[in-house]
Amino acid sequence: MTRRLSCGLAALALAWPTVTQADPLGEPHLPLIPRTGAEAARIARVTAPTTDFTAPEPFESRPAGAATVRARRTPDAFSQVSGNVPFERELMFKVGNGLFKKVWVSAPASTQASDGLGPLYNARSCQRCHLKDGRGHPPEGAEDSAVSMFLRISVPAGPQDAMTEIEEFLAAKDGPGAPRTRPDPVYGGQIQDFAIPGHAAEARFSVSYEEFEVPLSGGETVSMRRPTYTAADPGYGPLHPDAMLSPRVAPQMIGLGLLEAIPEADILAWEDPDDADGDGISGRAQIVWSVEYGQPMLGRFGLKAGAPTVKEQSASAFAGDIGISNPLFPAGWGECSAAQTDCRAAPDGNSARDDGFEISGESLDLVTFYSRNLAVPTRRDLDDPDVLRGKQAFYEAQCTACHRPKFVTHRLDGQPEQSFQLIWPYTDMLLHDMGPGLADNRPEGRANGREWRTAPLWGIGMTETVSGHTYYLHDGRARSLMEAILWHGGEAEAAKQRVVEMPKADRDALIRFLESL
């Protein structure tokens, strides 16, 4: 790190000594139009939690506001363009979709527009992980690959490792003491389980399960499975003795642009790191260094909110998952570490045609537009008495303390699809301690080894329709919504126990409510 960056961060830290709802971390990616005082008061009324469960709330059937689309009963339900995309912008979505589906090949190749794969990779296209823009899944049996799942890897930072930009910033804000990590010196930041010809894959992903039973009220039991993950057959020597591995299943893609458009202040307003209100919930904002903007920003995307924008998340996935260089991550060798010399010496697909990268800035913008505008389907059966009863059970169990139902997005100039929409994502976008059962014991930025970003719940009831399975949580261990609930611990322990103890009819109604989202 240069002293120029260090001095700049010191000045930044002095300007923002603590994170509060008034502290702007920066939203330079959004063309903001300030809210009026009258709008703010109106938004507070509209987003207040309901206390009436006798009928659906106004506009509840359209969880993405005007961007909502009709719920299709086909695997294409998550692949529709936002309902309010102007006709002249639909072509951008369709071209972005083509790039999202593009199958990349190794360089050099006769198909120069598609070369540059790897040399190490997890998938050959975005679509291979996010099939039909839905959830990935852990491998099912020996014949199934882990193409929609991978292992992140890191090692503890040593005393000789200088602080990064974001570590300096966080140390100035939060004080020293947070665990510091670095990519594995050989295997980098994630394990790539595929490689182009002539190169060894980094490892073979392996998972095994231990079954156990959890009793519920009324004599009901639920079978659960506890996973163990292994990076087997390492291709570049043994893993570091202190290596920390974290499994990640590809999440669904819908509604990302709307999550990006939630005002930062509205997210920070729900931070309560010291549990000042005594409710047992102490959400924290993730803060990350933006490669694109060169400043600290609120983390929003990824299972630990490690990326600040849809564009940066997309660019990082191109580089790490497929090995495709781009304006934000320009290395032609993707994620090959300095220790993997043959990998770094392999031919790449960088070309003048694509601005010197393997995917150009214009093409990356089109993929970003596509990813921002994958539409959220309408709710189903929301006026069904069992669904309404389940909604009440969800609120009374205090699930809404983290899965916050409603926000209103920024007013945005030139971005009509996400501008000023009442949305129902059921997330607070904050990090929460989920207890030892879900811990990956791998810090990431501000998140410790037990913390995860609250997952949005919109569309969760259509998982089987879109993805053909019902695997949930960050690693797909839960085979049903009830299993997913029962894995909650830490800050969610009390809410989980309320679900365990409630009458079976209320639990069944709670699941019906989740299936309607």
Side-chain angles (χ1 to χ4, degrees):
M1 188 181 77
T2 67
R3 295 314 305 163
R4 181 181 63 80
L5 281 173
S6 180
C7 291
L9 280 163
L12 208 51
L14 288 172
W16 301 328
T18 57
V19 175
T20 72
Q21 61 177 312
D23 286 335
L25 290 170
E27 297 176 295
H29 57 297
L30 296 176
L32 305 182
I33 301 172
R35 288 176 176 174
T36 67
E39 284 177 344
R42 180 172 146 222
I43 288 167
R45 291 194 299 273
V46 168
T47 57
T50 187
T51 56
D52 180 5
F53 302 99
T54 60
E57 298 173 67
F59 313 112
E60 189 176 1
S61 65
R62 299 175 64 81
T68 310
V69 296
R70 174 176 59 87
R72 291 160 172 80
R73 301 289 183 175
T74 71
D76 293 320
F78 286 176
S79 300
Q80 309 305 310
V81 64
S82 295
N84 57 350
V85 166
F87 177 76
E88 61 273 14
R89 288 161 70 91
E90 282 193 38
L91 179 60
M92 296 167 59
F93 180 85
K94 291 176 180 177
V95 176
N97 185 19
L99 292 165
F100 192 83
K101 292 179 176 179
K102 176 190 279 193
V103 177
W104 296 85
V105 298
S106 58
S110 58
T111 55
Q112 292 184 9
S114 300
D115 68 347
L117 175 69
L120 305 174
Y121 62 95
N122 295 105
R124 294 180 61 192
S125 73
C126 307
Q127 177 84 350
R128 292 282 178 94
C129 286
H130 303 277
L131 185 62
K132 295 293 185 179
D133 306 295
R135 296 174 187 271
H137 66 276
E140 300 172 303
E143 301 304 314
D144 189 19
S145 75
V147 71
S148 61
M149 186 175 189
F150 67 84
L151 290 168
R152 290 216 182 277
I153 183 171
S154 55
V155 298
Q160 75 282 1
D161 293 315
M163 277 193 167
T164 63
E165 296 98 327
I166 192 61
E167 286 172 342
E168 280 202 7
F169 179 74
L170 292 176
K173 295 173 72 63
D174 299 339
R180 296 168 57 218
T181 64
R182 293 290 179 271
D184 184 278
V186 174
Y187 289 93
Q190 69 189 62
I191 298 291
Q192 281 86 17
D193 47 1
F194 296 101
I196 65 174
H199 296 266
E202 290 189 317
R204 176 175 54 83
F205 180 94
S206 175
V207 57
S208 60
Y209 296 100
E210 174 194 358
E211 294 274 346
F212 63 100
E213 298 287 323
V214 173
L216 307 179
S217 67
E220 186 180 6
T221 61
V222 175
S223 180
M224 308 272 281
R225 60 178 187 172
R226 182 178 292 108
T228 299
Y229 299 98
T230 306
D233 305 325
Y236 297 85
L239 300 185
H240 191 283
D242 297 322
M244 298 172 281
L245 299 175
S246 179
R248 306 293 174 88
V249 165
Q252 65 186 31
M253 296 284 293
I254 57 172
L256 298 183
L258 294 163
L259 297 176
E260 185 178 51
I262 297 173
E264 173 191 282
D266 291 356
I267 296 172
L268 295 180
W270 294 107
E271 262 206 310
D272 187 15
D274 300 317
D275 192 21
D277 61 5
D279 66 352
I281 307 299
S282 51
R284 299 195 301 152
Q286 175 69 288
I287 303 174
V288 299
W289 185 261
S290 170
V291 174
E292 183 178 9
Y293 294 102
Q295 69 174 60
M297 289 179 64
L298 177 69
R300 297 174 186 252
F301 301 105
L303 292 162
K304 289 191 182 243
T309 66
V310 175
K311 182 175 182 177
E312 195 156 327
Q313 176 77 356
S314 301
S316 176
F318 267 117
D321 300 351
I322 315 177
I324 300 301
S325 64
N326 58 75
L328 299 190
F329 299 92
W333 53 72
E335 224 239 335
C336 299
S337 71
Q340 295 166 325
T341 53
D342 289 347
C343 185
R344 288 203 172 192
D348 60 47
N350 288 348
S351 69
R353 181 193 62 251
D354 290 312
D355 308 331
F357 310 109
E358 291 165 336
I359 186 170
S360 68
E362 180 182 13
S363 293
L364 178 60
D365 287 342
L366 288 166
V367 173
T368 301
F369 185 83
Y370 171 77
S371 300
R372 277 182 178 148
N373 284 287
L374 284 162
V376 180
T378 53
R379 288 276 307 278
R380 287 87 50 215
D381 305 323
L382 73 167
D383 57 352
D384 182 283
D386 284 339
V387 171
L388 290 168
R389 180 180 182 181
K391 179 181 176 182
Q392 183 172 0
F394 186 83
Y395 276 61
E396 289 179 348
Q398 297 178 23
C399 303
T400 54
C402 300
H403 291 284
R404 198 158 297 281
K406 294 175 279 186
F407 289 93
V408 172
T409 61
H410 272 302
R411 280 197 182 278
L412 301 172
D413 185 16
Q415 200 171 313
E417 300 85 5
Q418 288 81 44
S419 181
F420 209 57
Q421 301 298 321
L422 172 62
I423 63 173
W424 305 66
Y426 287 90
T427 175
D428 60 6
M429 302 290 283
L430 297 175
L431 299 170
H432 293 278
D433 182 333
M434 295 300 293
L438 287 179
D440 66 351
N441 301 310
R442 177 184 174 271
E444 183 177 325
R446 212 181 189 199
N448 64 37
R450 292 165 52 120
E451 289 179 312
W452 300 92
R453 183 203 65 165
T454 304
L457 296 182
W458 52 11
I460 197 169
M462 300 194 73
T463 298
E464 187 168 16
T465 297
V466 172
S467 301
H469 64 74
T470 55
Y471 296 139
Y472 304 103
L473 301 177
H474 67 278
D475 56 2
R477 69 176 68 186
R479 296 161 294 187
S480 68
L481 291 170
M482 184 55 68
E483 280 189 58
I485 292 169
L486 295 176
W487 272 110
H488 284 51
E491 295 174 43
E493 179 67 29
K496 178 189 73 178
Q497 286 302 322
R498 294 184 189 102
V499 174
V500 167
E501 295 164 6
M502 67 176 54
K504 182 179 186 303
D506 287 349
R507 270 197 310 273
D508 292 344
L510 172 61
I511 298 302
R512 283 280 290 120
F513 166 69
L514 293 173
E515 290 172 342
S516 79
L517 294 179

